[in-house]
Amino acid sequence: MDQNMLNEICLRQLTLSGVHEGETVAILSEGAERLDYADAFLYAARRLGAAAYHLRLPAPAGSSGAWAVGESGLAANPQAVEALKQADMLVDLKFLLFSKEQFAIQDAGTRILTAVEPAPLLARLMPTPELRERVEVGAELLSKASSMRITSPAGTDVTYRLGVYPTMSEYGYTDQPGRWDHWPAAFVFTGGADDGVDGTIVLSPGDVLLPFNTYVQAPVTFTIERGFITDIRGGLDAELLSSYIKSFDDPRGYGMSHVGWGLDERAHWHGLMQFPGGMGMELRSFYGNVMFSIGPNNELGGPNDTPCHFDIPMRGCSLFLDDEPVVVDGDVVVPEMRPAGRH
Ligand code: FE
């Protein structure tokens, strides 16, 4: 993307994020990655009258390819962490999520926005206050629920006992102290009690496996008992999932993690065909997807910090909170969560 356009969308982002005169915006990048994004955010912060600086970490010694969940590159730089804690807002171009350092920076009151997806996607899924409102309606409903049941025509029937972990919202910008968000995003989630997820989940062709960044080709059946996956059955996709999880040699890799639904009608289910190398935020966000996750729940304050993590957005599911329908056959049925024109 042309630098002027990148400047423009980053200006819109920081405007939504409430950046103003007297604030300090820090931008964190690593190696040669996204230096054009860093320039655009510096421009945007300055346009809004904020002080700004760019903190650039060296490229990591060895690159693993898949997500290096929880490795921030900041562990060896405590002085950098201290500096970032002093900022009002941190723009993370490197992906700190799940790291101790990210939590410490948030705890100090710094709001954090992650931006690592391809620039054309950032532009197309530019957050809006209207989308935020609908996400917050969802978060409000979810935070009051004591159970979630998910069903599908393929045979999914799983129940999450709620009420232990907080509800999180992601709508693509952040204007509150200490709050994290990811651009682009439009979904809500929480986690079941550590021993409170039971039932069966059956993945159908077209459901999405992140971070494999692939679409399921053949059904996969998960058996879940007391919060852990006890059996994974099916064809090639099931074997790949099993083999991957097993390679971590960590029983917590079978834990049930966050669960929720997506609300952005502009996000495409086919998104991975367009941006195969991204983080998959478009897939987490597409309207009416029901996403469950496997692995760590430390993001929600839980004890599981395994690095083995899957996010699995599913199509065509129904989701009930305390037996009230929220998503039916992949369509959101709560009027306040539907975009204008879908009533
Ligand atoms: Fe996740």
Side-chain angles (χ1 to χ4, degrees), residues 251-317:
R252 300 171 311 159
Y254 295 90
M256 293 300 282
S257 178
H258 56 89
V259 65
W261 65 92
L263 286 164
D264 193 342
E265 68 285 1
R266 304 165 306 173
H268 299 314
W269 161 68
H270 68 256
L272 282 177
M273 309 307 288
Q274 253 171 313
F275 302 113
M279 290 287 308
M281 292 308 289
E282 182 164 27
L283 287 304
R284 291 177 179 84
S285 302
F286 77 82
Y287 190 77
N289 90 75
V290 170
M291 181 169 77
F292 85 101
S293 310
I294 304 171
N297 65 0
N298 58 329
E299 179 189 13
L300 294 161
N304 190 343
D305 65 351
T306 180
C308 179
H309 187 37
F310 273 100
D311 283 353
I312 305 183
M314 302 181 290
R315 294 188 300 167
C317 289

Side-chain angles (χ1 to χ4, degrees), residues 87-289:
D88 296 290
M89 179 166 181
L90 166 61
V91 177
D92 168 20
L93 304 178
K94 179 234 164 311
F95 201 68
L96 295 176
L97 190 59
F98 297 118
S99 67
K100 286 189 197 76
E101 292 76 24
Q102 167 158 345
F103 297 132
I105 293 163
Q106 282 179 257
D107 286 346
T110 304
R111 62 191 190 276
I112 304 182
L113 180 82
T114 301
V116 295
E117 289 281 19
L121 190 61
L122 300 182
R124 182 157 58 75
L125 301 183
M126 175 61 68
T128 69
E130 184 267 343
L131 187 56
R132 172 187 184 166
E133 232 170 81
R134 291 193 283 120
V135 168
E136 288 183 334
V137 168
E140 177 76 14
L141 276 180
L142 184 53
S143 68
K144 287 180 181 154
S146 55
S147 79
M148 178 191 293
R149 182 174 173 216
I150 300 167
T151 63
S152 78
T156 297
D157 193 347
V158 65
T159 301
Y160 287 72
R161 179 155 48 82
L162 306 181
V164 175
Y165 292 115
T167 292
M168 313 271 287
S169 58
E170 292 185 28
Y171 45 81
Y173 65 97
T174 189
D175 60 6
Q176 295 158 351
R179 184 178 176 278
W180 169 78
D181 212 316
H182 197 160
W183 177 24
F187 54 92
V188 296
F189 61 95
T190 186
D194 291 340
D195 63 350
V197 188
D198 290 274
T200 303
I201 294 178
V202 184
L203 303 184
S204 296
D207 291 343
V208 184
L209 302 175
L210 305 170
F212 283 1
N213 288 15
T214 57
Y215 294 96
V216 169
Q217 308 286 322
V220 179
T221 302
F222 296 94
T223 304
I224 300 135
E225 294 172 72
R226 291 181 296 279
F228 284 85
I229 293 165
T230 54
D231 190 51
I232 305 175
R233 234 165 259 259
L236 180 60
D237 294 300
E239 287 179 42
L240 288 168
L241 274 159
S242 297
S243 174
Y244 180 81
I245 298 173
K246 202 172 165 203
S247 73
F248 285 83
D249 196 21
D250 182 353
R252 300 171 311 159
Y254 295 90
M256 293 300 282
S257 178
H258 56 89
V259 65
W261 65 92
L263 286 164
D264 193 342
E265 68 285 1
R266 304 165 306 173
H268 299 314
W269 161 68
H270 68 256
L272 282 177
M273 309 307 288
Q274 253 171 313
F275 302 113
M279 290 287 308
M281 292 308 289
E282 182 164 27
L283 287 304
R284 291 177 179 84
S285 302
F286 77 82
Y287 190 77
N289 90 75

